[in-house]
């Protein structure tokens, strides 16, 4: 039908766009030396996971969608590979978003302690833990924790073992969801606190009589008071405040899109095995592809809030021409 053709075309375009956009981000980070530092290594890790989603997961998911009855006819081995990469890459993408949110939170609220060396070390640790946790969750069914392939029903899906469902959904989504919501709440509180402090930093001028009296005995005190007035009286937002405000907005949009894309899928993924609910396959497919679309939105969000990426993209295409 025409509707089916439109849906398939849309999914193909989503897959290709996700792959190309994340690949462009990776190439830009690799070629521009200014991006070889934090937080761009976190962005690169996110782009790697999203590229793998587009290259290895979404095409096979599309093949499954096109088969009659959404059956798996590509064999057991390819089923295991697809499920492993599906769980690992999507989990890594989610945790990479969490790592970016944590990095922005620490850079805003602890900018004095969160030095460049500390930031680099912590970001590398977060990347290593992200991929290690993702690999552990995805490989667990291969060692007997549930079954992913049923040759009789030609069914290929993530293990429906209730214990594995609780652990995998908790580790892949609900735990990072709690972290990012807590982080954004703390960023919001920190921004509100700074705005309150900024409003209360108005300097009240000393009376003329007091200034003359102090000047006749201790001139240095008058200089200190005037110096303080010059330091604290500022009009408008400072460059640092604007940067922090922009970073907080980027984190908020990144978290909001992440939640909207993935929460329908993980709610059904958790409820379905536990209550033996029969969710229509069409809704499972919609929720799954909505989650995949998060890999398309990620690079759009964190490059839209960084002018350096836009300039790097332009320079990259100009040099190639």
């Amino acid at each position: 039908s025409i509707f089916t053709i439109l849906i398939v075309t849309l999914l193909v375009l989503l897959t290709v766009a996700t792959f190309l956009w994340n690949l462009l981000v990776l190439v830009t980070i690799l070629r521009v030396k200014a991006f070889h530092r934090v937080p761009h290594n976190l962005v690169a890790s996110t782009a790697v996971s999203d590229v793998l989603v587009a290259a290895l997961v979404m095409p096979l998911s599309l093949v499954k969608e096109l088969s009659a009855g959404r059956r798996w006819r590509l064999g057991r081995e390819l089923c295991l590979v697809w499920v492993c990469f599906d769980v690992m890459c999507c989990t890594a993408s989610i945790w990479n978003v969490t790592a970016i949110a944590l990095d922005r939170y620490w850079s805003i609220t602890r900018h004095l302690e969160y030095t460049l060396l500390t930031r680099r070390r912590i970001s590398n640790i977060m990347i290593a833990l992200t991929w290690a946790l993702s690999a552990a969750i995805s490989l667990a069914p291969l060692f007997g924790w549930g079954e992913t392939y049923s040759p009789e029903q030609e069914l290929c899906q993530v293990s429906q073992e209730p214990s594995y469902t609780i652990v995998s959904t908790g580790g892949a989504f609900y735990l990072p969801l709690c972290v990012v919501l807590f982080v954004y709440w703390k960023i919001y509180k920190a921004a509100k606190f700074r705005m309150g402090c900024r409003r209360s930093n108005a300097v009240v001028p000393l009376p003329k009589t007091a200034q003359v009296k102090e000047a006749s005995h201790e001139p240095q005190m008058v200089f200190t008071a005037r110096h303080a007035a010059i330091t604290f009286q500022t009009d408008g937002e400072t460059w640092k405040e604007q940067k922090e405000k922009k970073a907080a907005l980027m984190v908020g949009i990144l978290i909001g899109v992440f939640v909207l894309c993935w929460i329908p899928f993980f709610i059904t993924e958790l409820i379905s095995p536990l209550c033996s609910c029969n969710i229509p396959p069409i809704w499972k497919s919609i929720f799954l592809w909505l989650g995949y679309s998060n890999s398309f939105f990620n690079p759009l969000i964190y490059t839209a809030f960084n002018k350096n990426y836009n300039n790097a993209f332009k320079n990259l295409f100009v040099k190639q021409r």
Side-chain angles (χ1 to χ4, degrees), residues 184-204:
Y184 194 68
W185 175 67
K186 296 291 285 185
I187 290 176
Y188 175 76
K189 281 188 66 177
K192 204 171 181 182
F193 174 76
R194 291 198 179 191
M195 287 183 66
C197 290
R198 190 171 176 276
R199 288 173 183 173
S200 64
N201 273 341
V203 178
V204 179

Side-chain angles (χ1 to χ4, degrees), residues 245-259:
K245 188 176 179 180
K246 197 173 183 180
L249 180 61
M250 187 276 288
V251 171
I253 295 176
L254 194 68
I255 292 172
V257 172
F258 151 70
V259 172

Side-chain angles (χ1 to χ4, degrees), residues 206-222:
L206 294 172
K208 291 183 179 180
T209 56
Q211 289 182 1
V212 172
K213 185 177 178 181
E214 295 294 342
S216 60
H217 298 287
E218 294 178 344
Q220 184 62 34
M221 293 183 66
V222 176

Side-chain angles (χ1 to χ4, degrees), residues 168-179:
S168 61
T169 56
F173 178 74
Y174 292 106
L175 180 58
L177 175 65
C178 293
V179 172

Side-chain angles (χ1 to χ4, degrees), residues 14-26 51 54:
L14 177 64
T15 302
V16 174
T18 302
F19 178 79
L20 292 179
W21 192 247
N22 283 284
L23 186 64
L24 178 62
V25 172
L26 275 177
V51 160

